[in-house]
Amino acid sequence: MSVDLSPTSRPSGLAELRAAYARERAELDRTVPSGPTPAADPAAVGVALGRRHARLLDDLLARLFHLLRESGGPGRKEWDSVAIAGVGGYGRDAVALRSDLDLRILARDAQRASAIADALLYPLWDMGVAVGHQVVTIDDLIEGAREDLPTATSLLDWRHVVGDASLSDALWQRAASGIFAHSELPRFIERLGKEISQRHERFGGSVYLLEPDVKNGAGGLRDLDVARWAAKARYGVGEFDALVRFGALVAREAEEIRSASEMLWRIRNLLHAHSGRRTDRLTFDEQELCAGVLGYSKAAGPAEAGRRGAPPADEPAVSPEAIERMMSDYYRSARAISRSLDMIVSRATPTLTRRRRRDEDLGGGVRLFDGCITMSDPDLLRTDPAIALRLVSEAVERGVPLLPYARGAIVRAAGDPAFCAALRESPEAAERFRTLVATCKETELQSGSVVRELHDLGLLLAMIPEFLPVVGRVHHDVYHVYTVDVHSVAAVDRLAALVRGELAGEFGLACRLAAEATRPTMLFFATLLHDVGKAIGGTDHSRRGAEMARKILARLGFSQEDIDEACHLVLKHLVMYLIATRRDLDDPATISEFCREVHGREGLRDLYLLTVADLSTTSPTSMTSWKARMLDELYLSADRALRGAREDAGPFGIDDQRMARAISGTVGALEDLPAASEAERRAQRDFLARYLASMPERYLLANSPAAIAAHSELARQQQAGGNSVSVALVPSRHPEAAEVCVVAPDRPGLLAAITAALAASRLEVHAAQIHSRACDDMDDGGVIRARAGSSPPAGVRLQAVDLFWVRDRAEGVGGVARAIPKLVVDIQAVLSGQISGAELAKKRRGGALRERPTPKVRTQISIDDRASHHTVIEVLTRDRPGLLFAISDALYQLGLSISVAKINTEGTRVVDVFYVSEADGTKIASGKRTQEVEERLQAVLQGLDGEGSVG
């Protein structure tokens, strides 16, 4: 910018300055593409853009300062008595695209300097510059910094821009000899630690959030700022290249920080550009835009994306795989920043104690120093690589942490390919690694668990380099909350907790079985490696993982028998979950099919434990009580089948004991229900006995006694009163959803009517159980039991007992009760023909609140006729309002009867499974009829999207 600075030209000079700034600012904004079009140079939108912005503001401030100083008001003496400095990001010499200009006007007399502030600020505001400022003195800042952390850190960011530089120099001299003096550093760094903890808690507490805050979240740019503050306070320099020259960092560490910082800077500038304001949350829709601009493609990362042509017309501009690749890079960068923060803060913290420290030689190059494990000579990592695992083993055994110095040395060594190769060649390292991964002891290691510590140190990757592709690997959905490596480590930790018996209240069966595991080391490694085959854009990760695990385990020295069993577990690690949640466990064919997938009772136990560890660490809400019960039921049924027991084998089996407890509990719960008279109480008891006998075992084991008693009473009232439908809220085992029980005479289309009414009431269905019972007594006083796969005798009345776990879309669980009266009216209206289910569902769906964007889910429909008496239709698709009605109504219109329905919601993805038969009770014929069913379902789901539903 070039302007006339003479006193007589102040108005025209300001106008020229304003115009020049506007041109430069517009050019800056044009650097960032507005849509998902790849940037010509992604590096241009990262730190370089922030530095350009800072230089533009420097130039603006300097020219404005001199223009106003020469104009004569306030006087030159006042202008010569102040220093203008940048703090915050501006002080650190890089300003994000929409961030404020953060200034401090340092003066000898703050009152007299207020005129300077007014003279500067009004033109800046007029130019559209957002300014944060303070007029301060040296005494004000030093005094405030003692108690106010932001004031203290502003001194570490302080960068003189224009004015009296001696004021800025004097300020730093006071700060360096005062609040940042060596004796004061521990207190200051402790304050930084509190800020880190509080901020991380406020912004989610994890590097691996689905929609992270790139500035304030864990592993965000603010963590880098804190690392700079700690380094500047200790060493007098905060830039990472300078810390290399100072010896506080090695070049590789500085490069890792620079690369991670660049990734986050690019994303932050893109967020600012797309929103037109200062925003730092990387939401799902912004992830798509950022991936496009940064050049991620379906087959390549940003470096190769420019070589790829335009996507086909039927392919999205930015594929889910591209978004996953970008987010994986983001998480790796955030993790690197998080590690760097810990490392730099640890190195910057001085130890001021004068007491004599205990130092004990433990042999093998290992020492116990001041209550921590370290090495006697850092050169041992080069000559004896196994010492790295020896140190961790000793720390675990003695229940003490690693010395920060030793941790840092191991981390640096693990970044050297030659060290890693030598470590893998060491038999001692392999043996110690096997033992450490299977260790269940509580530790004092910095990372908490043994495997997490091995991962953070880089030793997990050193021993298993095949793990590298899944580090930071993320699924672009809201169900898989953690990256693959973090989830795999968490699954191992969960298995260790099960072995210790810590989770007996939540996973009683799993804890008991874990304690009985005969090959724990094999099981721990199968758990660690169960997702190692995942690769972006790849399919069948289970098979690929089993092939990879075979080579890994052989290298680690496992026996052939253990290798075979572990690889089988990796290959089948999804089978138990899929069968438990998507198949009818009362169907003998289901149990028979599952038993063929496992290696006997021991293999069943190992697969069950792996499944529990896997599912319960996929996300904080992935293991619902319903899924846990389904897994338990499948395990117990399969175990009984494998040991050759019959269903009526006697009163001593585990299932029989659970059934006895369920029935006893339900009988007791019935007594808590109201009864108008003793005669009514006897009627309730008599009906309950018949009701329990008519319901399948899975129903009795999957529901609480209080809920079963409530279901029975509602069924009694419906049957006695002849009501077309009875609906009630009953006690729910799921705190996140209300349980609605619907009882009505069973008939074709009933499920479609119920789901239409639920959609009309804006109730989201999170799970469901569909049951049909014969409600007529037999001549001999017994009860007809409507079992899956069998038809009742002609003329026998069937009663549907359908359970739905729902939430009101706007009000959550609390809004469900208000919807019940309307729900009853709507179901009756559909059943009586007053309105069609489609009209009812559509009538209310159009007014639904629009939800914020979430990752896309590809619809998949499969039709399987391997069940005993039914065809199984499985629909995997994106969840949205009216979905369950749309599917069940389509099946009704196709003339299919639904015997069993299993609803499984996984974030924004839903898997609805229906056991259906034709009107005559036969399975769906293959060929044209199967094609007709699939095409109808596809058309219905596409039509649902066309009506504007979002999810």
Side-chain angles (χ1 to χ4, degrees), residues 180-190 230 233-235 344-353 357:
F180 303 133
H182 192 72
S183 60
E184 296 293 323
L185 279 179
R187 178 173 178 269
F188 173 69
I189 292 179
E190 182 182 358
R234 174 69 189 273
Y235 306 113
I344 292 173
V345 169
S346 174
R347 293 176 187 176
T349 305
T351 304
L352 303 180
T353 181
R357 300 177 185 177

